[in-house]
Amino acid sequence: MFKKILIANRGEIACRVIKTARRMGIQTVAVYSDADARAPFVRMADEAVHIGPAPAAESYLIADKIIAAAKQTGAEAVHPGYGFLSERASFVEALAKENIAFIGPPVNAIAAMGDKIESKKLAKEAGVNVVPGFVGEIRDTDHAVEISNDIGYPVMMKASAGGGGKGMRLAWSEKDVREGFEATKREGLNSFGDDRVFIEKFIENPRHIEIQILGDKHGNVIYLNERECSIQRRHQKVVEEAPSPFVTPKMRKAMGEQCVALSKAVNYHSAGTVELIVSGADPTGESFYFLEMNTRLQVEHPVTEAITGLDLVEQMIRVAAGEELQIKQDDVKIDGWAIENRVYAEDPYRGFLPSTGRLVRYQPPVEPWADDGEENGRRGVDGIRVDDGVFEGGEVSMFYDPMIAKLVTWGETRDEAADLQIAALDAFRIEGLGHNIDFLSAIMQHDRFRSGELTTGFIAEEYPDGFEGAPASAGLTKVLAAVGGVIATADADRARRIDQQLAGENYAPGDWTVRIGEREEGATSHEVRLEENALTVDGEQVTIEMRYTPGDAMVDVALFENGADEDAEPLDRYTFQLEPTRMGYDITTRGATHHLRILQTRIAPLASHMIEKTPPDLSKMLICPMPGLLVKLHVSEGEEVQPGQPLATVEAMKMENILRAEKQATVGKVNAAEGDSLAVDAVILELE
């Protein structure tokens, strides 16, 4: 076994590998850029080597620097994590020349599976179902049209070397092919240096299901069940679960055996994932097709660990050291259900724009996952596991992936795992930047998610106009009003105890009018009354249990049936995050923030005489929607612009976003210059 390994990665996956290595008694070496100098993975490792500036292209992506760090520290092997150099065949070859082991698959498998055209040919030869299509040389647009007509519409045109949703175009007709073929070639060339394109049948109602593969260097290959990864946004996974609610035992066996056959065809060892596209429109479950093979550890590997009890990182290390798998196919079981949500620094209320910045508050629902070596330990604390690589006061950098953490829950059933996600997301406290916790909670509560009727179009179909928060049920609204009354009374009781007050009414009121809603016209009003032995909302008794001290930022609430005895189980449990406002509280729970305006009942009628502040006319301003760099200003003062005309280009998370004019106008004042770093909501220019 290795005595020391180097992790050629950063963030949560570097922490993840270090934890398992530490349990195995293996020393670890971290490599870090300027931006990660204070990161948790650097502190966790036994040694750390600085490898360059913040941009990945100048640090984590330079193989020579990684190899130099390994030689300098005496590391015998390198674990690449995922992303960066994890699927670069030339990196594996360079390590081999220096006699440094690669904790991953052989170079020939990486090369074969990294080419989408060659991998499909190999899959077909190995007896794996492939999507009907054409994987040869496409001469020109006319040839592309001829191929598409033979396959039958709709078809998908894909760049051979593509990935991450780039270099893909859907064509529903010959016209779409003629318009999109050359553009797909250009995208492939510009993004990946390869203009080859293949065309395949587009699967309707597609589900994205993947099979986890594990093999050793002695010819043993097994599959560790499947993961459902259909809930995606722009081809990037958002929610993953294991097993899939769609897959039957017969499907699982057929899928697994085909994926094992493919792995054996390329002499695969280590952990790997075969991604399949499955037709949700085919109830037989036989319409599953090879999509691609990821020759590395997947982001979503914890859900497989939770239901199998296996540590995939440990298995990768043991395989790389030459050990034989100790588990056979018949030993692989499915124990319960696991769901993973990716907590990202992005704002779902602003079209999922990236939201970089400092984590002013970072308090996960449980302590970050610690590898204790126990089989059930893969499930975290009481079924909740947090994999992260950030810390309170740290920064989510614009240079890397915006992931904050992975939240994994395990339950005996799918509903139990989803309910645990909702509870854990409510208790996940993040301040300082935008995040997608509300959105994830809304998905977990969604009827369609609960039914298991998933496709890759789920988010686009269910949130066509963007995300505005999860709707509150009548029951939740009543609890919100009750809690608003309780905390208002507690706050008033504390205020009355301040010494030397002039007011003669030295008591805490118990009658409140609670208005829930951001603006007066859309708010619902509730009369809350607190008496010695009763709490009523709109005249109906509500029985809740909570502990609140003025100043608390979070409170747990249990709702009981009226008249229930002391040993009764609650009807529901909530975690409310509280943010005081001028006249009440903002309470965040169950996928939305609810604005509570709380007034004493005797003075509430006077609120109608208060003049509401009129919001500014934002249509006259070009506002930066996310923190970023102003790379291009397309207009100047006095210039007349038309609807749709580019006004400015802002770069964030290495993606350029073009901001366009919404109406005909004249550019008035310009407030920013090219090269400026802009904060969210910064006014770039004003229109007249």
Side-chain angles (χ1 to χ4, degrees), residues 22-36:
R22 179 186 292 164
R23 175 174 58 77
M24 296 176 69
I26 300 171
Q27 289 192 309
T28 54
V29 179
V31 292
Y32 66 93
S33 69
D34 290 345
D36 285 332

Side-chain angles (χ1 to χ4, degrees), residues 202-223:
F202 177 69
I203 306 300
E204 297 185 70
N205 298 328
R207 300 181 79 114
H208 188 125
I209 295 173
E210 58 190 31
I211 299 290
Q212 176 69 56
I213 291 295
L214 182 63
D216 61 24
K217 297 180 179 180
H218 306 277
N220 301 306
V221 182
I222 59 174
Y223 62 92

